[in-house]
Amino acid sequence: MINSKDLPALVTGVMATLAGIGIARFAYTPLLPALIQEGWFTASQGAYLGAANLLGYFIGALIAHSLSERFPVRAVMGACFVAIALSFFLCAGAGSFSWFFFWRLVSGMAGAILMVVGPSMALSATPPERRAGVGALVFTGIGLGALLSASVVPMLLEFSLTATWGALGLLCIVAGLVGDRGVTRVSLPPVTGNERAASQNGYAAVNVAVLLVIGAYALDAIGFVPHTVFWVDYLARENALGHQAASLQWGIFGLGAVCGPLVVGALARKVGWHRGLTLAFLAKAVAVSLPVFSLALLSQSVSSFVVGAMIPGIVALTSGRLAELVGPGAHKKLWGQATAAFAAAQAFSGYVMSGLYVAWGTYLPLFLISSLVLIGGFVLVLLSRGVEQRHVPFLGQKRRQ
């Protein structure tokens, strides 16, 4: 159970994920149709601007661990909150494609750093018996950002695009101030010699299992793209359902993203990190494929909710599974590597899918491709358990079955 001592760590993690992905990434999705309709950019340019954030996320994931080791964590996280806010403030008026591309890249870099450093700090500051709960809840920020963007962005767009971009920048500033209060109150336990040894031994003992989990997480990044970059535009423009209907689905997506970490936290406590992760991959693969077969309101809504829930859900389960495999001492470095693998696959697939959309003129095949890739991730997670069980248990401890 969560208690009051966990609140600083929880606030730190939630604000980091709220700004890092919930606002920096997901707030752009409902903006995309408006950017095109207002004539700021063409449909293909808008898709590539979405992919710019994915590229920045990859760069940020590569440097996150080293930055947090070289500079005070509070300074690193504060700079990231400011960078994301600036990326909205400085794009509040029509500008060149290169200007928007640069700031979408910056927001992606800052978002990745927050996603690596914030949750890792929260996990390190939480006792093992409460880590499953806190480790899942820190990712509710992703869903809160999606839900806020779904509810606030359509209302702001009634005024202007400029007001919308500016309001999102202010929201990042608020998240940064709240997150900073959490950082200053987090109490990190000292790293002992045994924990250092655990981290080193953990890499050797479960190296293959870790690689398989990271590989699955990278495949999840491909399944992540259609709903998080193209879903609103696919419904609003390609299927002529209108912005209101598409915004409703984005709101359902956001509601799912808020519920997802709560569900997977309970799931991890009941069936373990591994089984929870396999179930999440399977559910997401099915949900991503639904638009291929039906765009009835029920099908749209189930797809939006389940994919929304499993996006932060798989992030939380992967983070917890890796911490289980290598221990909290090694988690930040390994989580940074996993995030980099995720970001690389995400950036690559974002650009490829943007190119495929330009070539095919439709988003529909992208959902089928992503579903098949997620099934591949499900298989890798299954294989990781068998590999792990053939290794010597980590530090002589009995593995959870």
Side-chain angles (χ1 to χ4, degrees), residues 16 29 40 58 81 113 146 154-155 171 260 262 271 353 374:
T29 303
W40 286 24
F58 171 61
F81 281 115
I113 295 168
M155 290 189 294
L171 187 57
L262 304 175
V271 303
M353 288 187 182
L374 285 166

Side-chain angles (χ1 to χ4, degrees), residues 51-74:
N53 185 268
L54 307 185
L55 177 60
Y57 196 80
F58 171 61
I59 297 170
L62 290 176
I63 63 176
H65 176 71
S66 60
L67 281 178
S68 66
E69 293 293 310
R70 184 170 299 181
F71 302 104
V73 170
R74 184 184 182 189

Side-chain angles (χ1 to χ4, degrees), residues 38 152-164:
E38 291 290 324
V152 174
V153 169
M155 290 189 294
L156 290 172
L157 285 173
E158 296 295 324
F159 296 96
S160 69
L161 268 174
T162 296
T164 307

Side-chain angles (χ1 to χ4, degrees), residues 43-52 54 225 229-230 347-361 363 366:
S44 60
Q45 285 177 325
Y48 280 116
L49 286 175
L54 307 185
V225 170
V229 179
F230 307 126
F348 175 77
S349 62
Y351 279 96
V352 169
M353 288 187 182
S354 296
L356 290 175
Y357 168 70
V358 172
W360 293 338
Y363 293 118
L366 306 182

Side-chain angles (χ1 to χ4, degrees), residues 18-266:
L18 170 62
I21 287 187
I23 300 174
R25 171 82 54 75
F26 287 169
Y28 179 77
T29 303
L31 283 173
L32 180 56
L35 289 172
I36 297 168
Q37 289 167 3
E38 291 290 324
W40 286 24
F41 300 106
T42 66
S44 60
Q45 285 177 325
Y48 280 116
L49 286 175
N53 185 268
L54 307 185
L55 177 60
Y57 196 80
F58 171 61
I59 297 170
L62 290 176
I63 63 176
H65 176 71
S66 60
L67 281 178
S68 66
E69 293 293 310
R70 184 170 299 181
F71 302 104
V73 170
R74 184 184 182 189
V76 171
M77 292 183 67
C80 290
F81 281 115
V82 171
I84 295 171
L86 284 175
S87 75
F88 284 103
F89 289 139
L90 297 177
C91 292
S96 68
F97 175 79
S98 59
W99 177 259
F100 272 71
F101 187 96
F102 172 77
W103 283 108
R104 293 303 298 156
L105 187 79
V106 168
S107 71
M109 291 173 61
I113 295 168
L114 287 176
M115 282 294 294
V116 171
V117 177
S120 291
M121 173 179 275
L123 278 175
S124 298
T126 305
E129 65 273 13
R130 298 195 299 274
R131 201 166 282 152
V134 172
L137 287 176
V138 296
F139 294 101
T140 56
I142 298 174
L144 288 172
L147 194 58
L148 283 170
S149 68
S151 57
V152 174
V153 169
M155 290 189 294
L156 290 172
L157 285 173
E158 296 295 324
F159 296 96
S160 69
L161 268 174
T162 296
T164 307
W165 285 88
L168 291 170
L170 287 174
L171 187 57
C172 288
I173 293 294
V174 172
L177 292 173
V178 176
D180 186 66
R181 287 180 64 83
V183 171
T184 58
R185 288 164 174 75
V186 167
S187 178
L188 292 173
V191 180
T192 65
N194 286 339
E195 286 173 333
R196 292 191 186 95
S199 298
Q200 294 169 357
N201 294 338
Y203 278 120
V206 294
N207 184 56
V208 177
V210 165
L211 289 176
L212 287 170
V213 172
I214 291 177
Y217 191 49
L219 293 181
D220 177 56
I222 300 173
F224 185 97
V225 170
H227 272 73
T228 57
V229 179
F230 307 126
W231 183 230
V232 172
D233 196 41
Y234 173 66
L235 296 174
R237 289 194 317 109
E238 184 170 324
N239 288 281
L241 297 178
H243 188 72
Q244 187 174 1
S247 294
L248 171 64
Q249 291 305 316
W250 189 245
I252 294 171
F253 175 96
L255 181 62
V258 172
C259 296
L262 304 175
V263 173
V264 301

